[in-house]
Amino acid sequence: MKTKITQNLLLSDASSQNSKISLVPWFITGFSDAEACFSILIQYNVKYKTNYRVKAIFSIGLHKKDIGLLEEIQSTLGVGKIHIHGRDSVQFRVEPVKELQVIIDHFDQYPLLSAKIADYILFKEGFNIIKLQEHLTEEGLLRLVGIKASLNLGLPDSLKEAFPKVVSVNRPEYTFKGIADPHWVAGFTSGDGSFNIKITNHTTNKLGSRVQLRFSIGLHIREKGLLQGLATFFNLGYSNESKDIKVQEISDKYIYVLKDSVELQIIKF
């Protein structure tokens, strides 16, 4: 008789990974810039002294077809567990404080290059509160709520209602500082890059169609500096305009700068 797979079914943990697979650290950072999430769980639970359960979580969620990559990340870092997370997705997750220290040490040595570094800085601040067990006090809990208010999507409605006077911490400002290593580019592209072929009608073409090979990375406008850095890395030019849709042609290479997002497209005819 077949049994239904539960959402949190554990597929593997670091202790069961006996392979010698090892990824380049900068690849892991680049991929994390694209796909990772730094979060702090604050959940009402009367079993705890403060009435709230608290934990920090580092996670990467992917389609189940990419579980092999998560296993390689898990094997390289030597921490974390991989779970079924939905019907077609799997998630690499690190929660224990000792294991999260490995994550902190990694990103301190190989820092994130995207705007996600702001989330990491907040996450690390929250992690240190938990590590020192200061979250078990009312003051420490309030500090964590203030951090969570500026982290990712902010506070859910339940916490806004429970802590109406909470003061959110200032979110760190982001400035792109350059690409540190080509392996970062490979990791980031593995997460956010797109390779596709576009075929369109073209009346002046003998076959009536035009074929374009495209490599693209699309990001929010706040990441414009990162895409300009990628353009420099690939020895391309870029447009300095960002308020409206602009297209700059350089030989057979283009970069599109949009109003609300930025997309790097390399188009070859």
Side-chain angles (χ1 to χ4, degrees), residues 240-258:
N240 289 319
E241 300 294 332
S242 61
K243 294 182 179 180
D244 302 301
I245 297 177
K246 301 290 181 181
V247 181
Q248 180 179 6
E249 179 178 354
I250 305 170
S251 182
D252 56 353
K253 306 176 183 67
Y254 295 76
I255 290 180
Y256 292 80
V257 181
L258 308 180

Side-chain angles (χ1 to χ4, degrees), residues 155-189:
L155 297 177
D157 291 339
S158 59
L159 289 180
K160 289 179 181 179
E161 294 175 3
F163 302 93
K165 296 182 180 180
V166 68
V167 178
S168 59
V169 303
N170 292 328
R171 185 173 174 83
E173 294 185 3
Y174 167 66
T175 302
F176 175 68
K177 297 181 180 180
I179 295 175
D181 189 281
H183 292 99
W184 179 92
V185 177
F188 190 69
T189 300

